[in-house]
């Protein structure tokens, strides 16, 4: 049976054509799936009973099951491991911020980018996620928040496991669906996509006409070090990545964020700070410093608090907009891939 979760109203209408239904039925079904938490057609009480039965014999509403869940001690962060019908599992994180609820969604099961600091790559990539599978992560959390009277999903960051721009079509369809009033009605400016620097698709994204925020995983100020940390740099060198990011900022008028993981005695020294300033000076951009969340298998350590402060102050003194990422969920291993890897090992 066809899975209809993740379809637009227009796509739903095409699927429902054999039933010769009024056009408004597609919107009703979409609103039940995306806004009212329907897990089956039987939940859709404003549809005739016979129609519900007929639809149930032809379609499924493919939602994942909660395989595992971890809640941080301070109650601000919840990490979900969601499993789809084929047994594939992905992580999604809810962060309860002062400005609202933010979620981090995955776009691939695992990752094949091979970054030296990341847990997501340890077992490679299983597969791309479909539009519906990406969307279902947001809907599951939206339903939970509504049931627990904790508000709604206010912002989405596409920064979970996987490289979003290597699953381009499904990710763009997900972003457009999030914006639809029959889904979450989310403003594009409340959506951030993070990429390791897939240059052709960075240019492609700039031409989509979507004012989403772009984050670029930089993590090093020169090609030698970046290639060591991020093998993708050998295909798309840093100069080309930064040029594509500048183009994105110019076209969209949106400030680009460069993510920079701070690793003790590797990329957190004065030489690297000086190179980073030279690389980014004058751009419509900011730097988000991320003290590394150590992954046992990677044996990379975080700098001291004093060293982190020094690096931040150096950038500030040289007129680079900089923030240090607010840490959330360290007690539940909220970094990408850690919970999924635990279950793979089990």
């Amino acid at each position: 049976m066809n899975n209809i979760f993740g379809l637009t109203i227009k796509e739903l209408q095409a699927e429902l054509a054999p039933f010769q239904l009024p056009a408004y039925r597609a919107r009703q079904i979409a609103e039940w799936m995306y806004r009212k938490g329907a897990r089956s057609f039987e939940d859709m009480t404003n549809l005739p009973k016979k129609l519900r039965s007929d639809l149930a014999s032809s379609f499924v509403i493919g939602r994942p099951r909660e395989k595992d869940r971890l809640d941080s001690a301070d109650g601000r962060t919840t990490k979900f491991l969601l499993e789809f019908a084929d047994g594939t599992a992905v992580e999604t994180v809810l962060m309860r911020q002062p400005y609202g609820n933010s979620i981090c969604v995955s776009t691939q099961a695992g990752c094949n980018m091979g970054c030296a600091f990341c847990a997501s790559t340890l077992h490679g990539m299983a597969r791309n996620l479909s539009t519906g599978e990406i969307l279902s992560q947001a809907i599951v959390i939206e339903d939970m928040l509504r049931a627990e009277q904790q508000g709604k999903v206010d912002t989405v960051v596409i920064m979970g496991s996987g490289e979003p721009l290597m699953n381009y079509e499904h990710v763009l369809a997900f972003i457009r669906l999030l914006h639809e009033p029959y889904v979450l009605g989310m403003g594009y400016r409340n959506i951030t996509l993070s990429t390791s620097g897939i240059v052709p698709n960075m240019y492609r994204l700039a031409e989509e006409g979507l004012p989403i925020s772009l984050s670029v995983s930089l993590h090093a100020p020169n090609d030698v070090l970046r290639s060591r940390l991020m093998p993708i740099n050998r295909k798309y060198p840093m100069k080309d990545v930064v040029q594509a990011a500048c183009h994105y900022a110019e076209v969209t008028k949106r400030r680009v964020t460069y993510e920079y993981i701070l690793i003790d005695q590797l990329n957190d020294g004065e030489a690297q700070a000086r190179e980073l300033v030279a690389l980014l000076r004058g751009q419509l951009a900011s730097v988000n410093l991320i003290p590394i969340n150590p992954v046992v298998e990677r044996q990379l350590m975080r700098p001291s608090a004093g060293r982190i402060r020094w690096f931040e102050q150096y950038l500030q003194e040289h007129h680079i907009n900089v923030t240090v990422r607010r840490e959330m969920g360290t007690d539940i291993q909220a970094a990408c891939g850690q919970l999924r890897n635990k279950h793979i090992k089990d």
Side-chain angles (χ1 to χ4, degrees):
M1 292 191 291
N2 289 345
N3 175 17
I4 61 170
F5 195 97
L7 299 185
T8 65
I9 283 180
K10 186 175 180 180
E11 291 166 338
L12 270 173
Q13 287 172 340
E15 289 288 333
L16 296 170
F19 294 86
Q20 297 182 319
L21 300 175
Y24 68 85
R25 289 297 188 198
R27 177 172 286 275
Q28 285 180 320
I29 293 169
E31 289 177 345
W32 274 110
M33 288 194 300
Y34 304 137
R35 296 195 69 88
K36 299 179 181 180
R39 290 168 170 77
S40 71
F41 292 103
E42 200 54 40
D43 295 332
M44 302 180 184
T45 52
N46 60 350
L47 271 61
K49 283 190 175 182
K50 184 178 184 308
L51 176 58
R52 283 181 259 167
S53 176
D54 290 344
L55 293 174
S57 67
S58 299
F59 306 112
V60 293
I61 298 171
R63 291 171 56 112
R65 77 174 184 93
E66 185 181 300
K67 185 173 183 178
D68 202 353
R69 171 177 172 169
L70 297 173
D71 294 281
S72 63
D74 61 13
R76 291 162 45 210
T77 307
T78 302
K79 186 169 195 173
F80 301 88
L81 186 66
L82 302 177
E83 185 179 63
F84 301 109
D86 67 349
T88 299
V90 300
E91 298 171 345
T92 310
V93 180
L94 165 65
M95 297 159 284
R96 299 168 179 87
Q97 306 274 18
Y99 53 80
N101 295 308
S102 180
I103 65 169
C104 180
V105 301
S106 296
T107 56
Q108 296 177 317
C111 184
N112 62 5
M113 290 294 102
C115 297
F117 45 80
C118 184
S120 292
T121 69
L122 288 171
H123 296 280
M125 188 187 78
R127 63 174 176 83
N128 283 329
L129 300 186
S130 69
T131 301
E133 288 170 336
I134 304 171
L135 178 63
S136 68
Q137 298 169 63
I139 298 301
V140 164
I141 295 179
E142 175 84 359
D143 290 347
M144 183 207 75
L145 291 170
R146 181 172 59 247
E148 297 179 3
Q149 297 185 324
Q150 294 183 19
K152 60 183 178 63
V153 174
D154 297 293
T155 58
V156 171
V157 292
I158 308 171
M159 294 185 183
S161 294
E163 166 51 63
L165 295 187
M166 294 296 285
N167 189 13
Y168 190 91
E169 299 294 346
H170 289 145
V171 169
L172 263 289
F174 158 68
I175 290 170
R176 294 184 190 279
L177 263 174
L178 272 184
H179 183 68
E180 292 290 349
Y182 57 86
V183 185
L184 295 189
M186 182 169 291
Y188 288 125
R189 293 177 184 273
N190 293 333
I191 301 170
T192 300
L193 182 147
S194 176
T195 180
S196 59
I198 310 303
V199 170
N201 284 347
M202 291 173 69
Y203 283 104
R204 187 178 173 189
L205 184 64
E207 305 306 318
E208 293 285 352
L210 303 177
I212 66 171
S213 297
L214 180 67
S215 289
V216 177
S217 295
L218 192 64
H219 306 316
N222 61 66
D223 277 318
V224 172
L225 182 54
R226 192 168 190 265
S227 292
R228 175 180 168 187
L229 293 174
M230 303 177 68
I232 192 65
N233 191 71
R234 297 170 195 142
K235 184 172 185 180
Y236 300 116
M238 189 177 64
K239 178 183 176 183
D240 295 343
V241 172
V242 171
Q243 186 174 339
C246 289
H247 175 77
Y248 187 88
E250 181 180 350
V251 170
T252 65
K253 311 305 180 189
R254 301 284 287 163
R255 182 183 297 274
V256 170
T257 298
Y258 289 100
E259 298 162 334
Y260 193 97
I261 282 183
L262 284 171
I263 304 170
D264 189 42
Q265 304 298 322
L266 186 61
N267 66 352
D268 64 340
E270 184 173 353
Q272 291 81 39
R274 186 167 58 249
E275 285 181 292
L276 189 59
V277 167
L279 180 68
L280 302 182
R281 185 182 285 118
Q283 289 191 37
L284 179 60
S286 59
V287 174
N288 188 12
L289 299 176
I290 309 167
I292 190 171
N293 190 350
V295 176
V296 173
E297 296 89 343
R298 296 304 192 185
Q299 299 181 333
L300 298 173
M301 304 306 295
R302 67 186 295 140
S304 66
R307 202 165 172 87
I308 294 167
R309 281 195 301 272
W310 177 88
F311 202 95
E312 177 190 19
Q313 289 170 1
Y314 186 96
L315 297 187
Q316 288 174 337
E317 289 168 1
H318 291 81
H319 312 294
I320 301 294
N321 288 305
V322 59
T323 57
V324 177
R325 179 172 293 180
R326 183 181 180 189
E327 291 190 283
M328 299 183 72
T330 53
D331 61 322
I332 59 169
Q333 294 188 311
C336 295
Q338 291 178 306
L339 182 57
R340 179 174 179 268
N341 287 344
K342 171 181 173 290
H343 282 263
I344 291 174
K345 290 173 185 176
D346 292 346

